[in-house]
Amino acid sequence: MQIGGLTVQQTEHRILVINPGSTSTKIGVFDNEVSVFEKTIRHDSSVINSYETIIDQYEFRKNTILETLDTEGINISKLSAVCGRGGLLRPIEGGTYAVNNQMLEDLRAGYSGQHASNLGGILAYEIASGLNIPSFIVDPVVVDELDPVARVSGFSLIERKSIFHALNQKAVARRVAKELGRKYEELNLIVTHLGGGITVGAHKLGRVVDVNNGLHGDGPFSPERAGTVPAGDLVELCFSGDFYREEVMKKLVGQGGLVGYLGTNDAVKVEKMISQGNEKAKLVYGAMAYQVAKEIGSASAVLAGKVDAIILTGGLAYGKDFVQEISERINWIADVIVHPGENELQALAEGALRVLRGEEDFKEYPGK
């Protein structure tokens, strides 16, 4: 198989995966689907802050990754491919993309914004090119497969955008499809990522045809985000003279949701507050579940009621009471399947492995 001019022939594949965060870099080594090594490398904040831009950190992070692998006795000459977390690129359809020059240029420039995840593709390429093996990214947050009708917001100056937990949503949808003995591309699924941000995607035959903007757009409120808020009241607040633009944005993203109401984004703490009789915490936490259920109901309308399964995933899906409150409102639509957590390293490895095995073709960025 030819990938980016490189020939891949073996059937056993060892893949290095890289997921950069603001002050850490998560790495893993997988033999096919099996994890043989995973580690979160914590970076000293003084070192990270010494770089003028996020992209300037790539040499430091690359060396740290290689030193860690060497210390752990991982022989990188046995790698088949390197896969990095996708960053803020141009809107693209879902899939596994070979890192190319256009992608590197857009990641370095921060085409859709600066974020640590932009380093993922760069680090993958830098390490892989030295080994003469392919480098990939998989399902970045900018995956955009929206139907045209889903883009219309109702306000002609603003178009709805697709920004969501694409990596985890797509990965867990494929796992559930396998559990059901079907292909992802044959099913209609509603996938709900329950984390610091909450996104609900309508997956129609392998494409996410509608999803709420999980960055600072619409949808349910979450531990840290306000979600959809009354537009007129928001406009009044913005022009009240009491807040700067940055203050309003922080109240929407970072200080919204549970943080705004209860002063914490920790669901475990909120559940403890409820168990101790805190009525406000009970109301707010219940309202978050209520809004998630409403969004799932909306997604079922997008799929015209033809839903094969509803999937709940992400960190909040570990909360049994929270999951139960959502499920009781929507289990009449379809069976509810719970896959708690978010194993991003596994998802990256699986995306690269599908291409290496020839199960799907890699895609060329930026595509059509």
Side-chain angles (χ1 to χ4, degrees):
M1 177 189 297
Q2 286 285 322
I3 301 174
L6 303 173
T7 301
V8 178
Q9 294 179 327
Q10 69 265 38
T11 56
E12 297 297 320
H13 301 286
R14 173 163 284 197
I15 304 164
L16 169 64
V17 293
I18 304 170
N19 182 11
S22 56
T23 59
S24 67
T25 305
K26 295 179 182 179
I27 61 173
V29 177
F30 288 76
D31 283 347
N32 291 338
E33 297 93 342
V34 179
S35 171
V36 296
F37 169 73
E38 292 186 27
K39 185 169 184 176
T40 299
I41 304 170
R42 308 287 180 185
H43 304 302
D44 190 299
S45 58
S46 63
V47 175
I48 290 295
N49 294 334
S50 68
Y51 293 97
E52 186 174 345
T53 68
I54 290 172
I55 299 304
D56 291 338
Q57 301 169 15
Y58 91 86
E59 190 73 37
F60 160 71
R61 296 213 194 202
K62 172 188 172 185
N63 291 335
T64 303
I65 291 169
L66 293 176
E67 289 168 7
T68 300
L69 293 172
D70 184 58
T71 300
E72 296 293 336
I74 304 294
N75 185 352
I76 62 173
S77 68
K78 295 183 178 180
L79 294 175
S80 305
V82 186
C83 188
R85 179 72 185 266
L88 297 176
L89 294 158
R90 302 166 191 259
I92 53 177
E93 67 178 7
T96 299
Y97 286 78
V99 180
N100 59 20
N101 289 332
Q102 181 65 66
M103 182 187 295
L104 292 171
E105 183 179 318
D106 285 350
L107 289 171
R108 291 180 178 126
Y111 183 89
S112 295
Q114 294 290 349
H115 190 271
S117 61
N118 290 5
L119 288 164
I122 297 171
L123 290 167
Y125 177 82
E126 290 288 333
I127 294 173
S129 61
L131 299 170
N132 200 35
I133 57 177
S135 54
F136 304 106
I137 66 164
V138 181
D139 292 326
V141 295
V142 293
V143 164
D144 185 348
E145 299 168 339
L146 296 186
D147 281 345
V149 69
R151 301 183 189 281
V152 182
S153 70
F155 183 38
S156 63
L157 300 180
I158 298 175
E159 184 178 82
R160 291 187 67 237
K161 296 181 176 67
S162 177
I163 301 178
F164 70 110
H165 304 90
L167 181 62
N168 189 42
Q169 283 210 22
K170 290 267 189 178
V172 76
R174 289 181 181 279
R175 288 177 200 141
V176 168
K178 189 173 182 180
E179 291 170 6
L180 296 175
R182 305 278 298 280
K183 292 183 178 180
Y184 169 53
E185 294 78 12
E186 297 174 348
L187 298 174
N188 285 350
L189 302 167
I190 298 173
V191 185
T192 302
H193 178 100
L194 303 166
I198 293 176
T199 54
V200 180
H203 295 236
K204 183 178 182 180
L205 306 180
R207 297 179 64 82
V208 185
V209 297
D210 202 346
V211 66
N212 62 294
N213 182 337
L215 184 59
H216 48 69
D218 47 10
F221 73 83
S222 74
E224 299 176 351
R225 292 169 173 80
T228 300
V229 296
D233 293 335
L234 180 61
V235 171
E236 291 291 339
L237 185 144
C238 288
F239 287 91
S240 66
D242 295 333
F243 303 97
Y244 292 107
R245 178 184 180 277
E246 292 75 15
E247 290 178 297
V248 175
M249 287 302 297
K250 283 183 180 179
K251 288 185 178 298
L252 293 174
V253 182
Q255 297 176 2
L258 295 185
V259 174
Y261 285 109
L262 303 173
T264 180
N265 64 358
D266 189 334
V268 175
K269 289 183 179 179
V270 174
E271 289 173 352
K272 186 176 181 180
M273 293 164 67
I274 294 171
S275 69
Q276 294 173 342
N278 188 318
E279 290 298 321
K280 180 179 179 182
K282 182 179 180 181
L283 174 64
V284 171
Y285 206 49
M288 187 166 72
Y290 172 83
Q291 289 199 4
V292 170
K294 277 179 62 177
E295 195 73 16
I296 291 171
S298 296
S300 72
V302 169
L303 298 173
K306 298 174 182 177
V307 182
D308 293 296
I310 298 169
I311 305 169
L312 304 181
T313 184
L316 290 179
Y318 284 110
K320 292 182 179 178
D321 291 343
F322 186 65
V323 165
Q324 182 176 350
E325 192 158 351
I326 296 170
S327 299
E328 287 176 349
R329 292 184 181 275
I330 50 87
N331 58 16
W332 57 272
I333 299 170
D335 288 342
V336 179
I337 300 172
V338 183
H339 272 256
E342 180 180 10
N343 196 336
E344 295 170 331
L345 297 182
Q346 182 82 39
L348 291 171
E350 290 171 355
L353 191 58
R354 287 193 297 273
V355 169
L356 294 174
R357 285 176 167 169
E359 295 173 357
E360 68 180 53
D361 294 331
F362 71 91
K363 296 180 179 179
E364 289 281 359
Y365 178 82
K368 296 180 181 179

